[in-house]
């Protein structure tokens, strides 16, 4: 009899093996392997029978074993310039969700400067033996893409075209046109633009294209662009708040509307106006781009660029390449849609 100091001995249970699942399901071990890893043709009825047998036995497939059998790591690299910004975090969520559903893991690479970028593209992605790579909002030169292709790593991107790889992005120039035209059609003639700093040659011209859309809409409408109303912030709520508050508190005439190149900046602009005693949209209309959750709280009119769906789509393009399906090395323009809320109205 066991004493409190000597607990009863319990023999270790041997975990179920592939052969046990095969015996329970009445199929071969090869069929079990194909059914559980999705690496070969198995009828839906047999696949379900194998899944039921594995569940009954408590069998967990060995990731390492299936990787050795298939020659794949089942890891896909995701390269991002930031992970603490809403757009990139939401895109990553879309990528990871699609990959997890297909039995893949995402290996995250957050670039931190030019030297780190070189290490990621020339060393880390290759050394980790990844099956594929997704590059978000980063412009790669032909030698960088060729290095990945030479290592047998399929590639897909978000933000703009990459030589030899399928990519996805919204039409940022068109989004800038639509946002500005919305304000013009409401009757606004004094419109400010709130954007980001000029992109480096390593990034796609998202903010610049949205500004070009703004400038084109204003010019076509026969309006003048006041240089004082071309504001540059850092795509953050606080940065936009300070820039817009300084503009609106100035002694000279203020704009009746602001087009912000991102929703977080648009929300900062709304708070700045309200802190100065201005009414939105009575004294100032504000529109953004993103469909950031913060927009709901501010009643923000915006253009939804479906960030999560962009991530899902780029993951699908990679999975299609890994499955051997044909994927054209072309650029897809992802759809957007207008969300009209209470932050925009005709000028008083």
């Amino acid at each position: 009899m066991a004493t409190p100091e000597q607990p009863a001995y319990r023999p270790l249970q041997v975990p179920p093996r592939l052969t046990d699942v095969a015996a329970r399901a009445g199929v071969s071990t090869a069929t079990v392997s194909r059914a559980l890893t999705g690496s070969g043709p198995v009828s839906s009825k047999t696949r379900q029978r194998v899944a039921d047998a594995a569940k009954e036995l408590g069998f967990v497939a060995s990731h390492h074993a299936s990787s050795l059998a298939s020659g794949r790591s089942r890891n896909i690299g995701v390269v991002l310039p930031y992970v603490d910004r809403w757009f990139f975090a939401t895109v990553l969520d879309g990528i990871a969700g699609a990959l997890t559903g297909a039995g893949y893991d995402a290996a995250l690479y957050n670039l931190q400067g030019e030297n780190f970028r070189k290490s990621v593209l020339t060393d880390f992605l290759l050394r980790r033996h990844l099956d594929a790579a997704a590059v978000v909002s980063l412009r790669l030169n032909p030698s960088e893409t060729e290095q990945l292709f030479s290592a047998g790593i399929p590639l897909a991107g978000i933000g703009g075209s990459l030589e030899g790889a399928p990519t996805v992005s919204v039409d940022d120039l068109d989004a800038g046109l639509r946002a500005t035209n919305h304000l013009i059609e409401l009757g606004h003639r004094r419109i400010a633009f709130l954007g980001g700093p000029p992109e480096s040659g390593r990034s796609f011209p998202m903010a610049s294209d949205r500004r070009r859309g703004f400038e084109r809409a204003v010019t076509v409408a026969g309006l003048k662009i006041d240089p004082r109303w071309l504001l540059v912030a850092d795509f953050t709520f606080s940065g936009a708040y300070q820039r817009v508050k300084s503009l609106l508190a100035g002694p000279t005439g203020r704009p009746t509307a602001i087009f912000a190149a991102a929703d977080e900046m648009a929300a900062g602009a709304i708070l700045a106006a309200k802190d100065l005693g201005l009414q939105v949209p009575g004294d100032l209309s504000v529109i953004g781009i993103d469909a950031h959750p913060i927009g709901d709280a501010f009643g923000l009119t915006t253009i939804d660029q479906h960030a999560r769906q962009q991530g899902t789509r780029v993951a699908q393009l990679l999975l299609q390449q890994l499955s051997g399906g044909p994927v054209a090395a072309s650029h897809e323009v992802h759809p957007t849609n207008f969300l009209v809320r209470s932050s925009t109205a005709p000028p008083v």
Side-chain angles (χ1 to χ4, degrees):
M1 178 179 296
T3 66
E5 292 78 17
Q6 296 177 327
Y9 171 74
R10 292 185 178 89
L12 294 175
Q13 293 184 346
V14 178
R17 298 167 298 178
L18 200 71
T19 53
D20 299 322
V21 179
R24 175 68 66 91
V27 297
S28 68
T29 55
T31 299
V32 171
S33 178
R34 290 196 301 271
L36 295 180
T37 63
S39 59
V42 179
S43 71
S44 58
K45 183 177 180 180
T46 300
R47 190 182 303 277
Q48 186 60 53
R49 192 162 74 248
V50 170
D52 291 342
K55 184 177 181 180
E56 291 168 6
L57 294 172
F59 176 81
V60 178
S62 167
H63 173 78
H64 178 66
S66 63
S67 295
L68 290 175
S70 65
R72 291 182 177 172
S73 68
R74 303 198 74 81
N75 275 321
I76 291 180
V78 183
V79 186
L80 299 159
Y82 307 98
V83 293
D84 58 348
R85 301 285 177 87
W86 174 84
F87 173 78
F88 299 105
T90 307
V91 164
L92 178 60
D93 185 58
I95 294 174
L99 295 183
T100 300
Y104 284 83
D105 293 323
L108 178 62
Y109 297 90
N110 179 22
L111 297 191
Q112 304 169 356
E114 187 63 24
N115 290 335
F116 191 74
R117 173 193 174 102
K118 291 180 180 178
S119 297
V120 167
L121 295 176
T122 62
D123 184 18
F124 291 173
L125 290 181
L126 307 181
R127 182 160 50 85
R128 285 289 301 272
H129 306 293
L130 300 171
D131 292 335
V135 180
V136 182
S137 296
L138 294 167
R139 190 198 302 268
L140 303 185
N141 60 46
S143 64
E144 290 170 334
T145 57
E146 180 57 34
Q147 186 173 32
L148 293 173
F149 293 145
S150 297
I153 299 178
L155 182 67
I158 291 179
S161 60
L162 296 173
E163 185 172 326
T167 52
V168 177
S169 78
V170 300
D171 187 334
D172 288 301
L173 189 148
D174 179 69
L177 273 169
R178 293 171 66 194
T180 309
N181 280 331
H182 172 70
L183 299 173
I184 293 172
E185 289 163 4
L186 287 172
H188 292 280
R189 295 297 177 263
R190 303 198 308 274
I191 306 172
F193 175 77
L194 177 59
E199 296 89 356
S200 69
R202 289 298 205 171
S203 302
F204 292 109
M206 177 271 288
S208 298
D209 281 350
R210 293 178 186 180
R211 173 169 168 165
R212 287 198 300 125
F214 163 80
E215 293 172 341
R216 181 175 299 181
V218 169
T219 301
V220 170
L223 306 178
K224 291 184 178 180
I225 298 176
D226 190 327
R228 297 171 300 170
W229 297 348
L230 295 175
L231 306 179
V232 176
D234 58 357
F235 286 98
T236 66
F237 181 96
S238 59
Y241 174 88
Q242 295 298 336
R243 296 291 288 126
V244 173
K245 192 172 184 180
S246 296
L247 172 68
L248 299 179
T252 56
R254 62 173 182 259
T256 63
I258 293 178
F259 162 40
D263 281 359
E264 285 188 67
M265 293 197 295
I270 291 175
L271 185 60
K274 291 185 175 181
D275 282 355
L276 291 171
L278 301 176
Q279 298 295 314
V280 177
D283 298 310
L284 182 74
S285 285
V286 180
I287 187 172
I289 294 178
D290 271 339
H292 190 297
I294 199 174
D296 287 329
F298 284 85
L300 179 63
T301 296
T302 187
I303 294 177
D304 189 349
Q305 65 169 320
H306 303 291
R308 182 173 285 99
Q309 289 90 329
Q310 289 189 59
T312 299
R313 179 56 182 154
V314 82
Q316 290 171 343
L317 290 170
L318 289 174
L319 293 171
Q320 190 173 343
Q321 293 181 73
L322 291 171
S323 68
V327 179
S330 59
H331 182 69
E332 295 182 11
V333 178
H334 201 73
T336 61
N337 67 286
F338 222 107
L339 299 178
V340 179
R341 298 189 179 118
S342 59
S343 68
T344 53
V348 177

